[in-house]
Amino acid sequence: PHLVTILGHGDALVAVPLQAPTKLVYSLDSGSSWQDIAIKAAGGSTVVRSMFTHPAHTDLRGFVCFGSDASPGVTLAALDLSGSLFAGGCRLPEDMSNAASDFERWSPADALEDSHASKRPSCILGARTKYIRRMAGKACRTGAVKLAPLDIRSDSPCECTAADWACDVGFHRASYAPGAGCEPLEG
């Protein structure tokens, strides 16, 4: 297991193993690829206690807190990914229809829609929510982008159908065909 944190409005994802860490990994493209940073931890009993960042996740800096189950106390290590990781600020967040824009509209339901053959629009809790986010393949800093909070998220009401309901624990939906029900998991 790893401890994961978000830096710079999602510009960087950072993960470090909880037990005996030897490296920290980070991604600048929403997890498509990862780079390593070696960690010199004191002994095999070193564990990661936590990672600290700015509460708004606006910065590319933070701290990793190391400890040991064998001795009291902790060690803080500074993490700074703000160097020369990005060529510049992101472009055109207000005009996502422009091919030069580094942003897209995205919905948490997109993964649900892509996971079944019907490609029907998913409705979650009676709303279809879309967010503005940086495209995964764009290496730019969103920290400099100033969008009004009401422009980042948009909600539109939708009617939930039986297919929008999740199955209970221990059950799964075998298909997303109309009328498909929940079936017990095997094992």
Side-chain angles (χ1 to χ4, degrees), residues 24-46:
L24 174 145
V25 294
Y26 67 92
S27 174
L28 304 175
D29 56 9
S30 300
S32 294
S33 63
W34 296 85
Q35 291 80 37
D36 299 346
I37 297 175
I39 296 175
K40 288 188 179 183
S45 65
T46 301

Side-chain angles (χ1 to χ4, degrees), residues 78-99:
L79 170 65
D80 188 352
L81 298 179
S82 65
S84 59
L85 297 177
F86 299 100
C90 294
R91 298 169 296 164
L92 302 170
E94 66 285 342
D95 186 11
M96 288 163 291
S97 61
N98 187 322

